[in-house]
């Protein structure tokens, strides 16, 4: 867990007692009121009126936050398990990655089913209910949200390959396999340059001064379909 924290705030996970300031993630991802408030906060901070843009950016940030710690443990140490929205807690902060805490995190060795485990834990457990809630709050195309989820996964995979180059093959294998599953299927491809190319746009270019992201299909149309 110390190694994960060294990769940055999206990978960090506290372990310890859960006080009154900590709330179950299950509450966050299922509450229309909480998501509405967080969408409004993102819109205010970015100075935008289009709630779809704010919802898209919020979803991508939360997806990165939820996928990074278990992906890191799986790639770096071949362990998984225990990452569940009813057991993971969060607390509000004004900006930056959402703080997450578990009272304890049981590590179980993984033998060949890592992608399935991660998909069940994170995509089905966290991202599907979150996407449902965001869709109830804001009229946004599901393809944008799932493109964001795949992009968040790719960002985590890239961070892991930089941190531990000798685990690059394992990291890419995990990322590619996940992109064949469920809502992530067909959302993007791992490429030579850029590292990852998504199939759609997160709408960030509509933020004043935002431009396009490094994996944006709008900026790399010539790279589409170039797989490795």
């Amino acid at each position: 867990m110390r190694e994960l924290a060294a990769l940055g705030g999206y990978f960090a996970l506290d372990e310890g007692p859960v006080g009154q300031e900590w709330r179950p993630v299950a509450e966050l991802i299922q509450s229309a009121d909480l998501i509405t408030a967080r969408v409004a906060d993102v819109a205010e901070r970015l100075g935008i009126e289009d709630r779809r843009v704010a919802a898209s950016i919020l979803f991508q940030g939360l997806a990165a936050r939820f996928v990074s710690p278990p992906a890191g443990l799986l790639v770096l140490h071949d362990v998984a398990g225990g990452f569940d929205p009813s057991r993971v807690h969060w607390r509000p902060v004004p900006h930056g990655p959402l703080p997450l805490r578990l009272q304890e995190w049981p590590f179980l060795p993984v033998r060949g089913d890592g992608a399935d485990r991660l998909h069940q834990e994170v995509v089905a457990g966290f991202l599907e209910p979150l996407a449902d809630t965001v869709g109830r709050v804001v009229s946004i195309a599901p393809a944008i949200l799932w493109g964001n989820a795949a992009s968040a996964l790719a960002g985590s995979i890239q961070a892991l390959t930089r941190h531990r180059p000798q685990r690059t093959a394992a990291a890419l294998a995990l990322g590619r396999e996940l992109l064949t599953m469920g809502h992530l299927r067909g959302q993007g491809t791992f490429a030579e340059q850029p590292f990852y190319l998504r199939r759609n746009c997160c709408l960030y270019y509509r933020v004043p001064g935002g431009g396009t992201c490094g994996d944006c299909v709008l900026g790399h149309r010539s790279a589409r379909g170039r797989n490795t």
Side-chain angles (χ1 to χ4, degrees):
M1 292 180 70
R2 286 192 296 270
E3 183 178 17
L4 288 180
L7 272 73
Y10 283 97
F11 286 87
L13 185 69
D14 292 335
E15 186 176 36
V18 178
Q20 291 184 347
E21 73 274 21
W22 294 93
R23 306 162 73 175
V25 166
E27 175 186 303
L28 171 65
I29 63 180
Q30 295 172 7
S31 170
D33 290 340
L34 287 175
I35 293 299
T36 297
R38 297 190 71 83
V39 168
D41 179 65
V42 171
E44 181 179 0
R45 285 190 285 111
L46 295 179
I48 54 178
E49 295 184 1
D50 191 338
R51 294 173 73 240
R52 293 182 309 145
V53 180
S56 172
I57 293 171
L58 172 66
F59 183 89
Q60 183 155 347
L62 290 176
R65 190 64 183 98
F66 296 143
V67 76
S68 295
L73 271 188
L74 188 57
V75 169
L76 299 180
H77 299 288
D78 293 316
V79 294
F83 199 73
D84 181 276
S86 66
R87 300 180 67 248
V88 179
H89 289 69
W90 69 288
R91 61 179 176 83
V93 289
H95 53 76
L98 202 69
L100 298 180
R101 171 170 286 194
L102 274 167
Q103 288 185 291
E104 61 177 352
W105 196 357
F107 301 143
L108 302 174
V110 173
R111 297 288 184 267
D113 62 345
D116 289 334
R117 293 284 296 273
L118 191 62
H119 187 273
Q120 186 62 33
E121 280 194 356
V122 179
V123 178
F126 288 79
L127 302 188
E128 288 181 2
L130 176 61
D132 288 343
T133 304
V134 171
R136 287 189 281 117
V137 168
V138 178
S139 179
I140 185 170
I144 293 176
L145 299 182
W146 289 109
N148 289 356
S151 181
L153 167 67
S156 298
I157 295 298
Q158 186 172 31
L160 291 166
T161 63
R162 289 173 175 169
H163 173 73
R164 188 81 71 81
Q166 61 270 39
R167 296 294 291 170
T168 294
L172 286 173
L174 174 65
R176 289 180 177 130
E177 189 170 356
L178 283 166
L179 291 184
T180 68
M181 297 181 175
H183 295 291
L184 298 181
R185 184 183 296 113
Q187 296 295 341
T189 56
F190 288 93
E192 293 177 2
Q193 290 296 330
F195 180 83
Y196 173 79
L197 180 64
R198 62 183 290 162
R199 299 294 189 188
N200 55 22
C201 178
C202 69
L203 306 179
Y204 184 66
Y205 74 95
R206 297 189 180 184
V207 175
T212 57
C213 304
D215 63 357
C216 183
V217 67
L218 299 180
H220 297 280
R221 290 189 183 278
S222 62
R224 294 183 73 175
R226 186 174 58 190
N227 300 339
T228 59

